[in-house]
Amino acid sequence: MADGKSYFFVGVGGSGMMPLAMILAARGARVAGSDRTLDAARLSAKFADLKAKGVALFPQDGSGIVSADQIVVASAAVEPTVADIVAAEAIGAARMSRAELLSTLFNASALPIGVAGTSGKSTVTGMIGWILHALGRDPTVMNGAVMKNFARVDAPFASALVGQGDAFVSEVDESDGSIALYWPKIAVLNNVSLDHKSLEELRSLFGIFAAKAATTVVNIGDAESAALAMTLPRERIVTFAVEAPADLTAQNLVPEPFAIGFDLVVEGARHAVRLSVPGRHNVSNALAALGAVRAAGVPLAEAIGAIEGFAGLKRRFELVGTANGVSVIDDFGHNPDKIAATLETLHAFPGRLLILFQPHGYRPLEVMHRELITMFGAELGVDDVLVLPDPVYQGGTVTRTVTSGDIIAGIALAGARALYIPDRADAAAHLAAIAKPGDRIIVMGARDDTLSQLAVDLLAQVATG
């Protein structure tokens, strides 16, 4: 469907937009786009990578919308007053949401594999994509994060892989309800927990998604997912769980600082598995991926051999470096489950945690604030230090019902060491100033690509401190 068509992406540098633009460009479409980050002269390497892949770049001033034949693609977050949208309306260009376009490509593929769940989507998508690629299945992969296995010096932003095989592997998003557009043959459901929507809404969205698939791979170690699995015909589900009975079970976990081993038990047989990414949560992710590729016809032994080669994703427990005995880790954790998984993985080994968590918006903070307070109160160690700057704000109308200061006040009442430092640079400088050998500094948050640069800057501060 891509050949010869012309697409213009409003916000082309976004984590969900960039890989989609890459896939279309690789499939022969004419692709252009704009981004306010480009206009602000930030993250130049990202836009250089897009340009190298044939994507034409324009200021976000409407100048790139020149023909009614263009299909203008924008996420729900783009407001109608943005100049490109105004220009598209004036010229009569067709409009598509990002989800509408992605789901059209996904649904048209011979083997659509959709990965859903509140946490772990990008990692499981990357694992499935890597296994299929390593075993010669030549998949197309649409991810919201850079997959280290496919990144190169001349192509550092490998959040998409374009192949000629049957499989189209994509994470699917529940945050805006667009998960309803996807029709997977193989569906993966990692977990169901609060993030953008109420649990009642999530149960409905994930339930409809899972019911469409010929095979649904579901985490029955998660209570909400297990309840959903009970609504599906048993012959259409593959279950997995860590240290609990399931079709695929992980036992005897052996953690390492940046890896983990375990025994995989399937149909009574035991298989040794080692991952090159750490944490119990990644064992669960690996079970999901192994279940999915097995449903796609990949022999289990071959999948186990391939998955050890999965190098992980950028911003998923990524070690930026170590200086003066202090390690700096960049992590995408932004909801209670993701953050807890990272903190639990780190607490398996000695060393104080110094955490900078930038909430990914005022609305998510409002939805999750009680759960965040409870989680940090439970997960922070006696010596750990947490700092919260103000949430990500990228313009537009937003209510500030709950603030970072409110979260810190709640955590402090639970007895943990937590500080509200509104300016992000000041928050980072505070952690660098108090860091000492053996500490781990973790930069956490989503929806802000400059957090990775902040982690790099923090490492430099520690090195010179």
Side-chain angles (χ1 to χ4, degrees):
M1 63 162 284
D3 288 353
K5 291 189 177 180
S6 179
Y7 296 86
F8 189 95
F9 284 73
V10 184
V12 69
S15 61
M17 298 283 268
M18 186 173 179
L20 186 51
M22 290 176 176
I23 290 171
L24 286 170
R27 289 186 170 186
R30 288 172 289 144
V31 183
S34 66
D35 199 286
R36 58 189 167 197
T37 303
L38 175 65
D39 292 349
R42 292 187 291 128
L43 302 174
S44 57
K46 170 183 283 191
F47 296 104
D49 194 31
L50 276 169
K51 193 172 182 180
K53 290 178 169 63
V55 177
L57 299 174
F58 292 86
Q60 202 168 84
D61 60 4
S63 61
I65 312 292
V66 296
S67 169
D69 293 332
Q70 288 174 293
I71 299 168
V72 177
V73 184
S75 71
V78 176
E79 298 185 335
T81 54
V82 171
D84 287 339
I85 303 302
V86 174
E89 291 290 334
I91 206 169
R95 295 273 306 280
M96 289 187 84
S97 71
R98 169 196 167 275
E100 287 170 340
L101 178 54
L102 173 57
S103 63
T104 301
L105 297 173
F106 179 86
N107 295 339
S109 66
L111 181 58
I113 303 174
V115 182
T118 313
S119 302
K121 292 188 293 290
S122 297
T123 298
V124 174
T125 300
M127 285 177 168
I128 295 170
W130 169 247
I131 293 168
L132 294 177
H133 173 83
L135 297 177
R137 302 297 179 100
D138 201 19
T140 293
V141 184
M142 164 75 193
N143 208 325
V146 173
M147 297 173 284
K148 291 183 180 180
N149 288 97
F150 305 118
R152 307 187 308 273
V153 173
D154 61 338
F157 296 93
S159 51
L161 181 69
V162 183
Q164 301 301 316
D166 288 345
F168 191 118
V169 188
S170 180
E171 59 175 295
V172 296
D173 189 11
E174 79 287 349
S175 65
D176 60 358
S178 62
I179 188 174
L181 299 173
Y182 298 85
W183 288 81
K185 288 188 177 176
I186 299 171
V188 176
L189 181 58
N190 281 346
N191 42 58
V192 181
S193 61
L194 280 174
D195 195 338
H196 299 89
K197 293 184 177 295
S198 69
L199 276 176
E200 184 176 343
E201 291 176 285
L202 292 173
R203 288 170 186 141
S204 174
L205 288 169
F206 287 134
I208 292 169
F209 172 75
K212 293 175 181 178
T215 303
T216 299
V217 183
V218 59
N219 177 14
I220 60 170
D222 172 71
E224 288 287 344
S225 300
L228 189 150
M230 292 177 67
T231 68
L232 301 172
R234 184 63 183 91
E235 66 273 12
R236 285 174 45 202
I237 64 171
V238 173
T239 62
F240 67 91
V242 178
E243 296 179 328
D247 295 330
L248 289 86
T249 297
Q251 297 177 349
N252 303 326
L253 277 59
V254 182
E256 301 174 35
F258 290 93
I260 193 165
F262 64 95
D263 288 342
L264 171 65
V265 181
V266 180
E267 297 173 351
R270 188 172 295 271
H271 311 264
V273 181
R274 186 176 184 276
L275 306 177
S276 300
V277 289
R280 180 188 177 98
H281 61 294
N282 275 321
V283 172
S284 181
N285 291 335
L287 295 178
L290 291 168
V293 298
R294 195 166 178 239
V298 174
L300 183 61
E302 293 182 19
I304 290 170
I307 200 169
E308 183 175 356
F310 175 68
L313 308 177
K314 298 286 286 183
R315 298 216 65 232
R316 270 56 172 188
F317 206 97
E318 181 182 9
L319 178 64
V320 179
T322 300
N324 290 327
V326 178
S327 296
V328 177
I329 294 167
D330 187 16
D331 190 73
F332 190 67
H334 62 279
N335 66 37
D337 283 356
K338 286 184 171 77
I339 296 168
T342 295
L343 299 187
E344 288 168 7
T345 299
L346 287 163
H347 277 139
F349 298 91
R352 182 173 64 156
L353 306 185
L354 307 180
I355 305 151
L356 187 153
F357 168 50
Q358 178 180 266
H360 60 295
Y362 284 95
R363 174 57 182 161
L365 204 56
E366 181 181 353
V367 171
M368 299 184 295
H369 71 279
R370 291 184 183 86
E371 289 74 17
L372 283 169
I373 290 169
T374 300
M375 179 275 300
F376 276 121
E379 296 294 340
L380 288 172
V382 174
D383 297 323
D384 296 343
V385 179
L386 169 70
V387 296
L388 261 69
D390 286 330
V392 174
Y393 175 66
Q394 297 176 334
T397 303
V398 63
T399 59
R400 305 187 182 197
T401 308
V402 179
T403 68
S404 293
D406 296 327
I407 303 299
I408 290 297
I411 295 168
L413 283 174
R417 297 177 65 187
L419 300 170
Y420 169 49
I421 303 178
D423 182 78
R424 194 180 75 176
D426 292 343
H430 175 75
L431 293 186
I434 66 172
K436 57 188 180 183
D439 289 345
R440 281 81 52 83
I441 297 177
I442 309 96
V443 175
M444 308 184 90
R447 288 187 183 169
D448 186 343
D449 290 342
T450 64
L451 282 167
S452 291
Q453 185 58 51
L454 179 71
V456 172
D457 294 343
L458 255 170
L459 182 64
Q461 291 179 51
V462 171
T464 57

